[in-house]
Amino acid sequence: LPNARTGWLRASAMRLQAVSWSLVADLGARTLTVRRAGRVVARYRVSIGAPATPTPTGRFGVTDRLLQPPGSPYGYGILALSGHQPHLPTGWSGGDRLAVHGTPDESTIGDADTNGCLHASTAAMKALLREVPVGTTLTVRR
């Protein structure tokens, strides 16, 4: 569904599970804060969306954790999110799903130059993929 839309799922197809992890992306500070049971356990510098393709704000969920092969344009790995990018660049064929992922050029970490995703270092992605479970919420704020 588009961002900020409500969807319904059959209760019988779901499994309720508590997740003690949460993520907060601060677009102004260009940081991703990781919390477990309400306590800050890590903070990483991230790249954010460029002015023409801004990172959408809101509350999203981690839907998938994906390792990437060496040389991938997504770096070491991906935390796929439930959010969608409403401002895709012309000609972009990579889909509209938002994610936190690595980058092959870590010198750009901290810049506002992505297509809406958050880019993190290889070290950050290794830690995130090791610790953060599917179902974790990510709040993106200005």
Side-chain angles (χ1 to χ4, degrees):
L1 294 174
N3 299 336
R5 293 288 306 268
T6 301
W8 300 97
L9 302 168
R10 279 190 201 284
S12 62
M14 299 294 105
R15 184 181 78 213
L16 187 60
Q17 177 180 330
V19 176
S20 63
W21 295 86
S22 65
L23 305 170
V24 176
D26 184 318
L27 299 178
R30 298 182 187 171
T31 58
L32 179 67
T33 302
V34 182
R35 290 188 173 96
R36 183 171 189 188
R39 298 184 64 160
V40 173
V41 296
R43 185 170 283 119
Y44 303 107
R45 188 98 170 122
V46 293
S47 296
I48 64 170
T53 55
T55 303
T57 58
R59 187 173 179 211
F60 309 107
V62 174
T63 61
D64 299 279
R65 299 165 5 137
L66 308 165
L67 291 176
Q68 295 297 289
S72 167
Y74 300 104
Y76 178 82
I78 302 168
L79 287 180
L81 303 171
S82 59
H84 297 271
Q85 171 54 289
H87 304 287
L88 292 171
T90 303
W92 174 253
S93 62
D96 71 346
R97 288 280 300 277
L98 293 173
V100 179
H101 62 80
T103 176
D105 183 2
E106 293 193 12
S107 70
T108 64
I109 301 292
D111 293 347
D113 65 352
T114 79
N115 289 330
C117 290
L118 301 171
H119 292 183
S121 69
T122 298
M125 289 311 304
K126 285 181 177 182
L128 291 167
L129 288 166
R130 184 176 55 248
E131 301 293 339
V132 175
V134 168
T136 298
T137 59
L138 167 65
T139 303
V140 180
R141 63 181 186 213
R142 297 214 180 279

